[in-house]
Amino acid sequence: MKDEAPQTGLGTGFNIPDPMEIQSLKGHVSDAEWQARVELAATYRLCAMHGWTDLVFTHISARLPDEDGEERFLINPYGVMFDEMTASCLVKIDTEGTICQDTPYFINPAGFTIHSAIHMAREDAGCVIHVHTPYGVAVSVQKDGLRRYTQFSMIVNNDLAYHDYEGIALDLSERDRIVQDMGDKNLLMLRNHGTLTVGPNCAIAFLRMYFLENACKTQIFAQSVGSEDKLIEEPPAMADTVGGQAAAAFTPGSGDNLVWPGLMRKLKRTNPGHDH
């Protein structure tokens, strides 16, 4: 009896092009749309650079200018890794996740459930970043959530809301509850799930995620001592003070201008091509 050959290769059904091999959309879309595409593709690659990825199973979205009064957004094509994302492969969709362009790609409509809720409710939501990092998820399962242990956490503490777990985000009715729980906050802890940040642009949404992720990471490190009586948690008044001191960093024209150009230079050195 002959040994059976091992099963290798891909099954049939998907044909996901290499994003560097498709035609560039530069010059084929408006200048405003192209700029949004470039910045969002860069954000995906920056999240990959910082280890904030879950293969292809989470999303970052950006609002586009309306088209004939209809809202439009950009989101990642399903099957493209964060570190290979390009401006031209991003997919333009409406509020229901319907594709509004010619593209060789498809999307995961369920992935836009959370994003559409926030974009539709918040005019200031130019970019929404949602990730499933080990540290963010580890804090999301804790009953007390993010603690005021570090400067990282106190910078974001007063701008953080919580939403209880309802399973994988497939039910559109969850959108109303996400919006209600988030209110006017700019950071959201999705319990037993992950983290989310909002910004008027990609740079500020990314900066907020940087501080939230580091707050979660340092909390897990601090808790490794095994006993909370060995930890110092600052009072709410200190979080009020620190949050106020740091607020300017999240004002358009401030923190974004300080960090974004340097991040773009780093991308150009280490992972060029997002602007294809």
Side-chain angles (χ1 to χ4, degrees):
M1 182 176 179
K2 294 182 179 180
D3 292 337
E4 291 186 3
Q7 295 295 314
T8 60
L10 295 174
T12 59
F14 293 149
N15 179 20
I16 301 172
D18 183 331
M20 291 300 293
E21 294 179 357
I22 66 170
Q23 180 183 1
S24 173
L25 291 181
K26 187 175 184 179
H28 299 279
V29 297
S30 69
D31 290 346
E33 179 174 329
W34 181 249
Q35 183 62 30
R37 286 177 172 274
V38 170
E39 291 181 4
L40 183 58
T43 306
Y44 274 99
R45 294 199 182 202
L46 289 172
C47 286
M49 179 188 298
H50 287 78
W52 307 340
T53 66
D54 188 9
L55 296 178
V56 299
F57 300 112
T58 188
H59 310 274
I60 311 170
S61 60
R63 184 190 301 276
L64 286 172
D66 291 358
E67 295 181 350
D68 298 323
E70 299 293 329
E71 291 186 289
R72 297 288 183 260
F73 308 91
L74 291 173
I75 201 164
N76 49 321
Y78 213 13
V80 175
M81 306 295 283
F82 279 27
D83 65 352
E84 63 176 352
M85 202 66 66
T86 66
S88 298
C89 80
L90 291 165
V91 181
K92 179 162 55 175
I93 57 177
D94 63 17
T95 55
E96 299 305 315
T98 303
I99 295 175
C100 303
Q101 67 170 94
D102 291 329
T103 176
Y105 297 103
F106 62 101
I107 69 163
N108 175 10
F112 194 54
T113 300
I114 294 171
H115 295 251
S116 62
I118 297 167
H119 281 300
M120 291 165 65
R122 298 273 297 267
E123 286 295 325
D124 60 332
C127 177
V128 178
I129 301 176
H130 171 44
V131 297
H132 309 144
T133 68
Y135 298 109
V137 174
V139 172
S140 79
V141 307
Q142 298 186 21
K143 291 182 179 179
D144 291 331
L146 189 67
R147 308 289 288 273
R148 296 180 301 276
Y149 289 148
T150 66
Q151 181 167 282
F152 286 126
S153 65
M154 286 181 283
I155 285 172
V156 301
N157 181 83
N158 290 0
D159 203 18
L160 178 64
Y162 294 82
H163 173 68
D164 288 341
Y165 189 63
E166 298 189 26
I168 295 175
L170 301 173
D171 184 356
L172 293 180
S173 71
E174 187 179 359
R175 295 194 295 193
D176 291 338
R177 293 183 290 278
I178 291 170
V179 168
Q180 182 177 0
D181 288 340
M182 190 165 190
D184 61 356
K185 307 291 189 184
N186 292 300
L187 302 94
L188 183 65
M189 185 78 68
L190 295 128
R191 292 194 180 276
N192 307 91
H193 182 174
T195 55
L196 180 147
T197 62
V198 167
N201 54 39
C202 290
I204 290 177
F206 178 86
L207 191 60
R208 284 180 169 135
M209 184 58 76
Y210 173 85
F211 281 100
L212 179 56
E213 173 65 13
N214 277 287
C216 293
K217 188 174 184 178
T218 51
Q219 176 165 320
I220 298 303
F221 284 169
Q223 290 172 329
S224 68
V225 299
S227 175
E228 296 211 355
D229 61 8
K230 295 183 172 65
L231 301 177
I232 300 171
E233 182 170 20
E234 292 291 338
M238 183 57 75
D240 295 341
T241 298
V242 175
Q245 291 172 327
F250 306 110
T251 302
S254 182
D256 49 355
N257 281 349
L258 282 172
V259 303
W260 195 253
L263 289 170
M264 293 304 97
R265 293 191 296 271
K266 186 172 184 178
L267 270 187
K268 186 175 181 179
R269 292 192 306 271
T270 62
N271 188 14
H274 72 275
D275 53 354
H276 170 71

